[in-house]
Amino acid sequence: IRDRSPSRGLGDVYKRQALYRELLDHSPETAARARVLVTVAWLELLQGQSEATARDLERALYLAPETALRAELYNEEFARLFLDARSRALAAAARKALEQAMAKAPDPGLARVAALRLARLLMAQGEMDAAATLIAQQDKGAAFKGDFAALRGDLALAAGRAAEARAAYDQAIALGAANAALLQLKVENLPPAT
């Protein structure tokens, strides 16, 4: 049984890391580069470089999201870092795709649908200011007014402004937002108005 703890077997880990980094520079295939980056990240963890490990895992998974981890070869900390990096890489890829969809949409309505989804993604990542800015920029025209009002309600609720959230949700329902039943549940679960 191999010892998978990061505190043992550091003999020539620096040489191995340099070798893998050189291999990375000469790997033309994306999937191969991703696999090499995973190995580099493991060697970084062995050296106690958790931030570098997380960064290189995210790079690997951004390059090739389908990259799999054979968990039996690594310790629990590395597996956790790998899963966290996969979530961040997928979110980054989704963000990039939504930004491209907004920029290249042949119709303003399609751009607004992408903006709605991007705003939700930004909110899920805790980027409330960026989501609010995007909503303010994209809330034009009557077609999606209700959906943008619902997002403003979610932003207000996240900031602890229940009265503002209630007003935005009520506006969204009145404007025919796509998820009116869910919005009504949100209104009913808000603290009573004082």
Side-chain angles (χ1 to χ4, degrees):
I1 293 179
R2 291 175 45 181
D3 181 2
R4 290 177 251 149
S5 69
S7 60
R8 298 184 41 135
L10 293 179
D12 59 347
V13 75
Y14 294 106
K15 290 179 188 174
R16 289 180 184 168
Q17 186 177 12
L19 177 67
Y20 277 104
R21 286 216 179 270
E22 186 175 325
L23 182 60
L24 182 63
D25 293 336
H26 294 44
S27 297
E29 181 190 341
T30 303
R33 290 177 60 80
R35 287 190 300 272
V36 171
L37 273 168
V38 169
T39 302
V40 168
W42 171 244
L43 294 171
E44 289 166 342
L45 185 66
L46 290 175
Q47 296 172 52
Q49 300 172 355
S50 294
E51 287 181 26
T53 299
R55 183 189 63 244
D56 281 337
L57 283 173
E58 192 168 338
R59 280 181 54 208
L61 293 164
Y62 187 78
L63 282 172
E66 71 283 355
T67 301
L69 179 72
R70 292 185 51 202
E72 71 274 7
L73 298 179
Y74 304 100
N75 67 12
E76 187 176 319
E77 180 183 6
F78 190 75
R80 181 186 52 77
L81 289 170
F82 182 88
L83 292 175
D84 290 347
R86 170 165 279 153
S87 294
R88 287 190 310 276
L90 290 174
R95 181 176 184 163
K96 181 178 179 182
L98 289 168
E99 288 169 345
Q100 287 177 347
M102 285 174 49
K104 296 179 180 180
D107 177 74
L110 292 175
R112 287 194 183 54
V113 169
L116 287 165
R117 291 183 179 184
L118 179 56
R120 287 186 192 105
L121 176 65
L122 292 170
M123 290 169 59
Q125 292 179 318
E127 295 184 46
M128 302 305 187
D129 291 338
T133 299
L134 180 63
I135 291 167
Q137 290 171 348
Q138 294 294 321
D139 188 8
K140 300 170 183 158
F144 296 99
K145 275 268 190 234
D147 297 305
F148 281 109
L151 287 177
R152 282 195 301 281
D154 291 343
L155 282 171
L157 183 60
R161 300 186 309 266
E164 189 179 325
R166 180 184 310 280
Y169 290 147
D170 286 341
Q171 179 188 27
I173 293 168
L175 291 170
N179 52 0
L182 175 63
L183 294 173
Q184 187 58 47
L185 285 173
K186 288 181 178 185
V187 169
E188 291 169 6
N189 286 312
L190 287 171
T194 54

